[in-house]
Amino acid sequence: VQLQAYGGGLVQAGGSLRLSCTVSGRIFNINVIGWYRQAPGNQREMVAIITRGGVTDYADFVKGRFTISRDNAKKEGYLYLDNVEPGDTAVYYCAAKTGVSSIVQSEYPYWGQGTLVTVSS
């Protein structure tokens, strides 16, 4: 299973951005797609996850600003970032796992390379 995240870039505070994640390979049993982020000097943290059936979970700091979605037919996951803040500056990673839903990073065996989001004030 291979994942590729893209769509990052430079955005002004208050703006929006959509990140995409393509999933390829032996993906027939992938259930959960997750988005995680790592800011400079910080540990990687969960942003949002979504199951194949569309059940979602968000980190508290999202505060309704971000929306996770997926298109199972296209084998893609998305993270829409709205009303971004400088604190959202980070490398954003998509990840995938089989089995039950989880927010625990160590339970995700498949990771993309990350895409950088920079929010200017």
Side-chain angles (χ1 to χ4, degrees), residues 25-59:
R26 296 176 63 85
I27 63 173
F28 60 91
N29 58 346
I30 291 295
N31 179 34
V32 189
I33 294 176
W35 286 94
Y36 291 77
R37 73 182 188 183
Q38 186 169 19
N42 291 358
Q43 292 187 337
R44 191 162 58 187
E45 60 184 354
M46 189 272 281
V47 178
I49 64 170
I50 184 169
T51 68
R52 182 185 297 158
V55 177
T56 61
D57 194 4
Y58 292 91

Side-chain angles (χ1 to χ4, degrees), residues 35-38 43-47 93 95-97 102-111:
W35 286 94
Y36 291 77
R37 73 182 188 183
Q38 186 169 19
Q43 292 187 337
R44 191 162 58 187
E45 60 184 354
M46 189 272 281
V47 178
Y93 299 89
K97 69 181 299 293
S102 173
I103 64 171
V104 179
Q105 295 184 45
S106 60
E107 296 186 13
Y108 285 76
Y110 310 112
W111 289 82

Side-chain angles (χ1 to χ4, degrees), residues 1 7 10 19 35 75 79 87 90 93 95 98 102 106 114:
V1 177
L10 177 64
L19 307 182
W35 286 94
K75 305 171 186 176
L79 184 68
Y93 299 89
T98 62
S102 173
S106 60

Side-chain angles (χ1 to χ4, degrees), residues 4-6 91-94 111-116:
Q4 182 173 1
Y6 59 96
V91 176
Y92 285 72
Y93 299 89
C94 61
W111 289 82
Q113 83 289 359
T115 184
L116 176 63

